[in-house]
Amino acid sequence: MLLTAELMDILDQSVVLTALPAIQESTGAGPAAVQWLTTGYSLPVAVGLITGGRLGDLYGRRRILLIGTVVFTTASLLCGLATDPGVLIGARMLQGAGVALMIPQVLATLHVTFEGENRSKAFGLYGAVLSLANVLGPVLGGLLTEADLFGLSWRPIFLVNVPVGLAVLVLGRRFVPESTARKADRLDLTGMLLSALAIVLILFPLTEGHSHRWPLWCFAMLAAGLLALGVFLRHQLRKQDNAPLVPLPLFRSGQFSGGTAAQLMHGLLCGLFFMTWTLYLQRGLGMSPFHAALAFVLLSLGELAGATIAARSAGRFARRLPQTGTLIALAAMAAYGLQAHAGRQDLTLAAMTAPVVLIGFGLGMVSGPLADMSLAAVPHQDAGAASGLFNTAMHLGIALGTALTAPVFFTTTDGSPDAGLNRAAFIDVLWWVGGLLALLWALMFCLPRHANNRTD
């Protein structure tokens, strides 16, 4: 049931990708609204994960997981009933709030429940479930959108969450063990508000700046966000002996801080690549939602294979395994870029199979081991907070990556469906993604170098 909750989160990120053009056509959403369909989901997740993790530490991880599931399931129903972009974006933000409560409890419960080799296997299974969600998401998005069930077009991609959420509620109460921190204290409300304010002030102008041609208020908000971040950190320093929202000693470990930074890079490249790839496939190459979904399936099947290898290794290769995966993804991304540049509009699904599968294979070797090694040295009483921070890095990265599509992709296309413009813009994106993969590889040197040295 824990991994089903994680499945719902990743599924709802990826399921919308192949449906974006259909949503844009039926609701009249512009480029900014399209960005907010993903950012509107990732932003509240990024804002709330730290608080969600601490709530689990204080009031019970199973309890907070089930509350988040109620919010997420209700919001999914509202998404399926939405009739215009504004309502849909609002419901997506509510989904994100539910996820912020759900997801920190997954890694935290795995962390406090399993030890040794069983722990590495559990985190390997976690990575495999992420890959499975990436397989199911685009398939469901493409199939359900193209099937147009009962004339509902893209709406079933959200409505499918309702029965899954109800199953998590019923079975989670029975099978998920309850756990809390040994020293439970009250929530740091001031820290919660300051962290939320800082993240919103930083991400909002990054998302909206391009569509408004970067007015002065964007830079003012960014400056205010950095100031709020500084105030938050100062507040946390003062609260370290009195139930802080973020236990700052966690960052004294290069293993945790480096792994969290690597997770940020991972999210950033995923947010940038997947958002622009679906537009390239459908607008640049003229694929239908179904054929675009098949392309995602190719990548995700490779990702599932990589995650399976990571799960079976059970931590034996330490950082060498995710670093190797990153290099495989980088080489395959370069090959795909050369192929896209040479093939232009004639690039077929069959021709891109090899590089796309290898991209997925490399990325699949990253998620499980990265989470396992980043959290390995975290004290159990801080498991929720650490899990919230680690997941925040991923979702903050996705939000930043989605925001980066404005200057990197939409500057070239300006929202135009022109095939040539979309192809050219996507090739430019691949240079950015390659650079982020290189940074991800470098940050993994902070992880343990030996399998028998978990805190190296």
Side-chain angles (χ1 to χ4, degrees):
M1 281 301 100
L2 278 173
L3 296 181
T4 302
E6 188 73 40
L7 180 73
M8 291 169 66
D9 171 31
I10 304 302
L11 186 68
D12 223 65
Q13 289 184 51
S14 58
V15 75
V16 75
L17 292 174
T18 47
L20 281 176
I23 293 173
Q24 188 172 18
E25 183 179 347
S26 67
T27 63
V34 169
Q35 282 184 266
W36 274 101
L37 288 176
T38 51
T39 303
Y41 179 85
S42 296
L43 180 59
V45 176
V47 168
L49 277 170
I50 300 174
T51 300
R54 209 51 170 168
L55 285 171
D57 286 340
L58 300 179
Y59 302 113
R61 295 172 184 123
R62 183 182 65 184
R63 177 187 299 176
I64 300 301
L65 170 70
L66 296 179
I67 291 172
T69 302
V70 170
V71 175
F72 178 84
T73 304
T74 303
S76 296
L77 179 61
L78 294 175
C79 284
L81 299 176
T83 57
D84 63 75
V87 174
L88 181 56
I89 290 169
R92 287 283 283 170
M93 294 183 76
L94 186 60
Q95 275 188 315
V99 166
L101 295 174
M102 291 164 50
I103 298 309
Q105 320 317 324
V106 177
L107 287 179
T109 302
L110 292 178
H111 179 66
V112 301
T113 304
F114 297 97
E115 296 291 342
E117 185 173 323
N118 288 333
R119 170 197 164 83
S120 293
K121 289 180 178 178
F123 275 93
L125 185 59
Y126 162 84
V129 166
L130 297 188
S131 301
L132 179 62
N134 286 328
V135 173
L136 291 176
V139 173
L140 286 174
L143 287 177
L144 293 177
T145 301
E146 195 152 302
D148 193 21
L149 298 174
F150 308 108
L152 293 175
S153 184
W154 48 269
R155 300 178 190 281
I157 70 173
F158 297 111
L159 297 176
V160 73
N161 291 323
V162 177
V164 178
L166 293 175
V168 170
L169 286 173
V170 173
L171 298 177
R173 287 183 61 86
R174 181 174 180 182
F175 294 109
V176 176
E178 184 62 283
S179 61
T180 58
R182 279 183 235 151
K183 285 181 65 180
D185 212 323
R186 62 185 179 182
L187 184 66
D188 177 12
L189 293 176
T190 301
M192 180 185 76
L193 293 174
L194 284 171
S195 66
L197 179 64
I199 292 172
V200 170
L201 286 173
I202 291 170
L203 284 185
F204 185 83
L206 288 176
T207 303
E208 291 293 303
H210 172 71
S211 61
H212 294 282
R213 300 188 182 278
W214 295 102
L216 183 61
W217 62 261
C218 284
F219 297 99
M221 285 188 72
L222 283 170
L226 294 174
L227 178 62
L229 181 61
V231 174
F232 168 72
L233 292 175
R234 183 176 181 183
H235 172 74
Q236 293 302 287
L237 283 170
R238 291 178 174 177
K239 290 277 292 183
Q240 286 308 297
D241 296 326
N242 187 23
L245 184 68
V246 176
L248 292 179
L250 287 173
F251 291 98
R252 293 174 186 167
S253 165
Q255 184 172 334
F256 177 76
S257 56
T260 302
Q263 182 77 332
L264 178 69
M265 289 300 106
H266 190 200
L268 210 164
L269 71 91
C270 287
L272 177 60
F273 177 70
F274 290 118
M275 175 74 167
T276 55
W277 193 38
T278 188
L279 295 172
Y280 162 73
L281 292 172
Q282 295 185 60
R283 291 182 175 173
L285 298 180
M287 291 185 181
S288 67
F290 174 72
H291 284 92
L294 290 180
F296 275 86
V297 170
L298 290 174
L299 185 141
S300 299
L301 287 175
E303 191 173 358
L304 185 58
T308 301
I309 288 176
R312 288 181 176 177
S313 74
R316 289 193 300 271
F317 301 103
R319 71 188 182 204
R320 286 174 290 171
L321 184 67
Q323 282 189 313
T324 299
T326 303
L327 292 177
I328 291 172
L330 178 58
M333 196 74 72
Y336 189 41
L338 292 173
Q339 188 184 55
H341 185 270
R344 297 294 180 179
Q345 73 272 18
D346 299 322
L347 185 58
T348 65
L349 190 61
M352 68 175 71
T353 296
V356 166
V357 169
L358 285 173
I359 290 170
F361 183 79
L363 293 177
M365 296 169 67
V366 173
S367 297
L370 180 58
D372 180 19
M373 286 182 278
S374 298
L375 299 176
V378 171
H380 282 192
Q381 65 266 25
D382 293 325
S387 175
L389 287 165
F390 187 76
N391 279 291
T392 295
M394 181 66 172
H395 286 275
L396 182 59
I398 291 172
L400 287 169
T402 304
L404 193 58
T405 61
V408 175
F409 186 84
F410 286 119
T411 293
T412 301
T413 66
D414 199 25
S416 170
D418 180 78
L421 288 176
N422 280 272
R423 289 193 299 271
F426 179 70
I427 291 170
D428 290 341
V429 164
L430 292 181
W431 284 99
W432 287 81
V433 174
L436 292 170
L437 281 167
L439 282 174
L440 174 62
W441 173 82
L443 286 167
M444 288 182 189
F445 279 103
C446 297
L447 301 177
R449 73 181 73 163
H450 300 300
N452 59 355
N453 185 5
R454 309 289 290 172
T455 59
D456 179 19

